[in-house]
């Protein structure tokens, strides 16, 4: 028999499949923090959805903290064709994950955007993670 939290997770994932742009469902999945929600949220992040929907998916992925999301979050953050706020949310989510792969991506984001706001955001996240010596961060 499934626990109440497992049932809720299943219901939210099914709700997300029915309506991938339901922001409350996305946020609830992030709040629960179960890695089972990583794949459905990554599909939204990588999909052809509104920027705000994708931004909330990035935020939720950060809350979950699953390193499996590093690649898609890094790709969004590094894509100069993406909206700035989405890229910045992906940087923040990488900081919440904070493993070695996320740190490498954040350093790359910093290097490629050193002289703009996104570079400043990546530098701030790296400092919060205790990475101070890299390029004088």
């Amino acid at each position: 028999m499934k626990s109440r939290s497992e049932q809720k997770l299943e219901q939210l994932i099914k709700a997300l499949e029915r309506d991938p742009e339901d922001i409350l469902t996305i946020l609830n999945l992030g709040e629960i923090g179960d890695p089972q929600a990583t794949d459905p949220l990554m599909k939204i992040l990588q999909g052809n959805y509104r920027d705000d929907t994708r931004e909330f998916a990035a935020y939720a992925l950060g809350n979950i903290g699953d390193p499996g999301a590093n690649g898609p979050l890094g790709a969004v953050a590094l894509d100069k064709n993406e909206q700035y706020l989405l890229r910045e949310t992906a940087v923040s989510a990488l900081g919440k994950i904070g493993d070695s792969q996320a740190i490498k991506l954040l350093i790359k984001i910093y290097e490629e955007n050193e002289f703009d706001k996104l570079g400043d955001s990546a530098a701030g996240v790296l400092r919060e993670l205790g990475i101070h010596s890299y390029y004088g961060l």
Side-chain angles (χ1 to χ4, degrees):
M1 192 162 125
K2 294 180 183 173
S3 71
R4 186 181 279 289
S5 62
E6 289 172 326
Q7 289 173 350
K8 182 174 182 173
L9 177 66
E10 267 185 25
Q11 290 171 347
L12 287 169
I13 290 173
K14 285 180 183 174
L16 192 63
E17 289 169 357
R18 285 190 303 275
D19 183 5
E21 298 211 47
D22 183 347
I23 300 224
L24 288 176
T25 300
I26 292 169
L27 290 174
N28 279 320
L29 285 168
E31 285 295 314
I32 290 172
D34 191 303
Q36 291 181 64
T38 300
D39 284 341
L41 289 169
M42 285 192 311
K43 286 178 185 170
I44 292 170
L45 177 67
Q46 297 170 308
N48 190 22
Y49 299 102
R50 294 186 327 253
D51 285 339
D52 64 331
T53 301
R54 295 174 64 221
E55 182 184 332
F56 283 109
Y59 175 81
L61 286 165
N63 284 346
I64 292 170
D66 183 348
N70 283 338
L73 288 167
V76 165
L78 287 163
D79 187 344
K80 295 185 187 301
N81 293 319
E82 294 285 4
Q83 176 199 33
Y84 173 77
L85 202 52
L86 174 59
R87 294 176 73 201
E88 186 175 52
T89 302
V91 165
S92 176
L94 286 167
K96 288 180 182 178
I97 294 170
D99 70 343
S100 62
Q101 183 188 9
I103 290 170
K104 287 177 186 172
L105 285 165
L106 287 164
I107 290 169
K108 184 174 182 176
I109 294 161
Y110 170 73
E111 289 174 341
E112 291 188 14
N113 300 277
E114 187 174 355
F115 302 107
D116 64 28
K117 283 177 24 178
L118 192 68
D120 291 343
S121 293
V125 170
L126 286 164
R127 279 192 298 273
E128 288 172 15
L129 292 171
I131 311 297
H132 297 281
S133 61
Y134 192 81
Y135 286 110
L137 295 175

